[in-house]
Amino acid sequence: MWSPLLAGCRALLAASLPNRCLLCHQQIPSASQGLCPCCLAASCYRQPICLGCGRELAVIARYCGSCMKHSPIPVVAPASYHSALGPLVGRVKYQQDFAPLPTLVRALSSRVKTLATAGLICWPQALVPIPLHPARLQQRGFNQAWVIASMLSQELALPLEDSLLLRVADTAPQAGLSGKARRRNLAKAFAVRGELQWQRLVLVDDVVTTGTTIREAARALAPWSPDVQVWCLARAEAPGLSHSS
């Protein structure tokens, strides 16, 4: 009998507290933002970056000179994982804290539109969230990549293909593994269900670090969709993410 009462008290307390930025803790006007405009602007990229490796560029371009030598998977993100936004992205996955998601998704959406207008990325036909294995999904209770892709689908009016890509191997968590161990862990972890009707697809994830996950997912899609992009909330600066590497 106490559970509903306690839940009601928590909701009343939360409603009575001022909404504060998750970074600077200053009050912000909307209860749905989670981040103030100043902290968001300070954390997002403020100059061009290479879509292959994430390094800063002196001029607006798709890739740096090094990444132009191979066929990198373009990774679009509004901020570096090493910025103040990195820990917030981790809180979504590990603490089920969805407060910053609306603002982060809008920042990603704005970044996508800017790059598309500049001709640096092609507009996709559908969004594909990186799937979890059913056992991991049952354990966690949600797939953060699906939540992000669903919000982006509404924001950008793009179809959401959430049953196309399957995770067929229940792999160990990637955190803490070396690059070689990550590649071995995710080898043949993904499969495609049925025939694809799309050729320009975007893989959606919360964060890209070494790129092993998106590389394996892109490899599964490659026979039907060779030009896959990746959109995420934050990315680490890493070597170019090519299909062949």
Side-chain angles (χ1 to χ4, degrees):
M1 62 175 290
W2 291 105
S3 295
L5 180 60
L6 290 173
C9 290
R10 290 194 187 98
L12 181 62
L13 179 61
S16 65
L17 290 174
N19 183 46
R20 297 187 180 277
C21 174
L22 293 169
L23 293 178
C24 70
H25 307 297
Q26 296 297 310
Q27 186 171 352
I28 51 180
S30 172
S32 63
Q33 295 300 311
L35 290 166
C36 72
C38 290
C39 286
L40 180 64
S43 301
C44 288
Y45 292 120
R46 286 177 281 181
Q47 69 180 73
I49 66 159
C50 173
L51 300 185
C53 65
R55 296 186 180 92
E56 294 182 349
L57 300 176
V59 296
I60 297 176
R62 183 180 175 95
Y63 298 124
C64 65
S66 177
C67 287
M68 289 177 66
K69 297 176 183 178
H70 51 269
S71 301
I73 300 173
V75 178
V76 178
S80 168
Y81 184 66
H82 305 295
S83 72
L85 297 186
L88 297 185
V89 177
R91 283 168 58 170
V92 174
K93 179 190 296 187
Y94 298 114
Q95 301 178 31
Q96 301 186 25
D97 184 356
F98 296 99
L101 264 186
T103 298
L104 294 177
V105 169
R106 282 193 293 271
L108 173 55
S109 173
S110 176
R111 176 80 170 162
V112 165
K113 292 176 183 176
T114 298
L115 294 177
T117 300
L120 299 182
I121 60 172
C122 297
W123 199 253
Q125 295 171 303
L127 304 178
V128 179
I130 293 290
L132 290 177
H133 189 272
R136 183 69 56 82
L137 180 60
Q138 184 177 19
Q139 180 184 32
R140 185 177 297 169
F142 72 100
N143 178 3
Q144 71 281 355
W146 184 93
V147 175
I148 297 165
S150 179
M151 296 173 70
L152 276 174
S153 174
Q154 297 180 28
E155 188 85 17
L156 298 173
L158 286 169
L160 177 65
E161 280 285 356
D162 56 1
S163 60
L164 178 66
L165 189 64
L166 305 176
R167 196 151 191 161
V168 294
D170 187 10
T171 56
Q174 292 284 89
L177 298 180
S178 66
K180 184 177 181 180
R182 284 171 181 253
R183 290 189 293 272
R184 186 168 56 246
N185 187 43
L186 282 174
K188 299 181 180 179
F190 298 98
V192 174
R193 175 188 294 172
E195 294 290 329
L196 273 69
Q197 59 175 323
W198 314 106
Q199 292 182 331
R200 298 190 309 276
L201 295 174
V202 163
L203 289 168
V204 179
D205 208 352
D206 57 338
V207 62
V208 171
T209 50
T210 65
T212 306
T213 299
I214 63 171
R215 219 170 3 240
E216 289 302 319
R219 189 169 285 134
L221 294 169
W224 298 273
S225 180
D227 298 320
V228 173
Q229 302 176 50
V230 178
W231 296 353
C232 59
L233 299 182
R235 64 162 303 163
E237 291 69 40
L241 306 170
S242 69
H243 287 279
S244 60
S245 61

